[in-house]
Structures are given as structure tokens and as C-alpha cells.
Amino acid sequence: MTQQRRAILDAICGRGSHPSADELYHDLRQRLPRISLATVYRNLETLASSGLVGKLEHGCGQRRFDGNPGPHHHVRCVCCGRIEDLRQDMGVPDAEGIGRQLGGRYRVVSVCVDVLVVCPGCQ
Amino acid sequence: MTQQRRAILDAICGRGSHPSADELYHDLRQRLPRISLATVYRNLETLASSGLVGKLEHGCGQRRFDGNPGPHHHVRCVCCGRIEDLRQDMGVPDAEGIGRQLGGRYRVVSVCVDVLVVCPGCQ
DNA sequence: GTGGATGCAAATTCTTTGCATGATA
DNA sequence: TATCATGCAAAGAATTTGCATCCAC
């Protein structure tokens, strides 16, 4: 756990939002002016594969990361691109429930729900 | 509706899978050797915005397109990357149901569910 | 000291755009 | 004929990789 990796983890958890690698990079440079974008990408990948952060592939061209690695869903505004966590499960079955419905041939890793909306600010 | 656009629509509907722009491009060159990748991208965008095909942003780095534009969910294998349609709704509330639960402040456009699995072939 | 992590730059990959030409209605 | 679509090539954007150096254990 290098100071860069810790700073990246702090930055992503401290934000509470769903930043892109580039946004994190610009934030981090205030604390660590010599940090490189490659380090941000490499550490996000490392942190994601060890389950400490989540990776969102739903964006328009650019990947977002999530300081909350637990299972939860997202609301994404199709106008401004902002992503928010969905607190309740909204009645969506969890991985086990979906797995049962699929009949056991698949091992279900996770269930990702993305609710595309026009948010109040964009209407 | 040019012959290129029709060929692209045929190719994506005829496949039944969820090809990337590049896969479609290579398929199409057998019929239209002079077609360009830019034309494929432009037409997929056009077809998607007129609702004739679906766009999947969930892939790893590369966008996939869907010949079935209606609302339905997907199963994606985290090993081989294959995407399949999920026929049943699996008990997931539809856009209206989610909209009600969100309390009316958001206009819900669609609900995308991605079930990440290890498929039978990859286990 | 050793192995993994870093910074930098270059390379890759996917996608979009500019522009002259060609096809369509 | 006027308009929109195409092919080609170049540009752009996001991400990854090669490599020498540096840091943590």
C-alpha cells in the first residue's frame, strides 16, 4: 500500500460520487503533484480486482469508479451523465434469486441495474 | 435508407448476437468490400437514435449493438464476454414501477439490467 | 537487497470528424 | 438539382504498456 494507492482510495471514497480516472487524477495532483495518470489507472484496476472499489462500465466512452464496492444499483441521468447510488433494491432480485431463475447452469457473479433517467435538474 | 444502412441493419438483426462495430464491419465487407468503418459507426448511431437498434455500453472497452431494440435485459459472461438476451423479466420492475418508487422527481427512460455470470462453457 | 510500484512517454484501441465525391429522392 | 451519405484519412479520447528509476518491505 503505497502513498499513491492510499491517496487514490481516499479520493474515491471521500468523494462519494462516481469519478472517472481523469477526474481523480486532477484531484490527486493537488496533493501529489507528480502522480501520473497511468498510476491512477493501474491502481484503480488493482483496487477493483481486490474488491475495494467498484468499476462502472456504463458511461459514455469513459469508465467510472465507485468508492462503494458493495452490491447496489445506480441511477444515471442521460442528460448530464451524473450517477447516483440507488439506496433501496427497488424489488430487483439479488444474485441468488436470479441464479435460481436461470436454472443453475450459470454462476451469477452480480446483478447490475442501471436506471436511466432525466434527473430533476435536467428537466 | 441506403444499401449500406440496410446491410448494417440486416447484419445486426440477422446475427441475433450483440456484435461490436468492428465485428459488423468485417462481416459487412464480405458483401460490400468498399464499406468503411466510419459508415458503420455513423449508421449504428443513426439507427440507435431512431430506435431501430439498441446500444450496449456495458462492454469492456468496446461498445456492442443489439438488433433487438425492445426493453429486455442481458446476461454477460465475465470470462468470455458473450452477451445473451434475458427472455423473462426475472421479476425486475419496469420503468414505470421504478419511476413510482423513485417518487416522481425523475423521469425514468429505461431500466437496464446486466447479470454478470460465469457461463456454462467457461466453468 | 528484491520485487513490486512509479513516472514518463509512446503505443494501442475504439470512436469521431473533415472533406471531397457519390448516390438518393 | 439539392441534400444527405459515403469512403478515406486524419484526429481525438480513453486506456494500456515499456522501461528505467524508486520505494516499501
Side-chain angles (χ1 to χ4, degrees), chain A:
Chain A
M1 182 62 75
T2 60
Q3 63 171 319
Q4 286 90 338
R5 185 167 299 172
R6 173 157 303 287
I8 289 168
L9 192 54
D10 284 357
I12 196 169
C13 293
R15 266 171 154 274
S17 65
H18 303 81
S20 64
D22 198 61
E23 287 169 340
L24 285 169
Y25 170 64
H26 284 103
D27 279 11
L28 286 159
R29 274 166 67 99
Q30 298 180 4
R31 276 214 276 161
L32 302 170
R34 298 186 54 76
I35 199 172
S36 85
L37 185 53
T39 297
V40 176
Y41 273 107
R42 274 188 288 234
N43 276 302
L44 286 171
E45 204 53 51
T46 304
L47 292 168
S49 68
S50 58
L52 289 172
V53 308
K55 205 174 3 168
L56 309 180
E57 305 269 9
H58 307 240
C60 303
Q62 97 182 344
R63 191 171 300 168
R64 307 291 202 93
F65 295 86
D66 190 339
N68 173 5
H72 63 282
H73 305 317
H74 294 105
V75 180
R76 176 158 61 90
C77 177
V78 295
C79 295
C80 64
R82 183 198 302 274
I83 297 173
E84 296 175 28
D85 286 352
L86 197 50
R87 287 287 162 216
Q88 311 104 301
D89 67 6
M90 294 287 157
V92 177
D94 61 9
E96 281 186 27
I98 298 271
R100 269 193 300 274
Q101 294 183 60
L102 286 175
R105 299 189 305 120
Y106 296 81
R107 184 152 63 77
V108 176
V109 176
S110 65
V111 179
C112 303
V113 177
D114 222 21
V115 181
L116 304 187
V117 301
V118 181
C119 74
C122 287
Q123 286 178 33

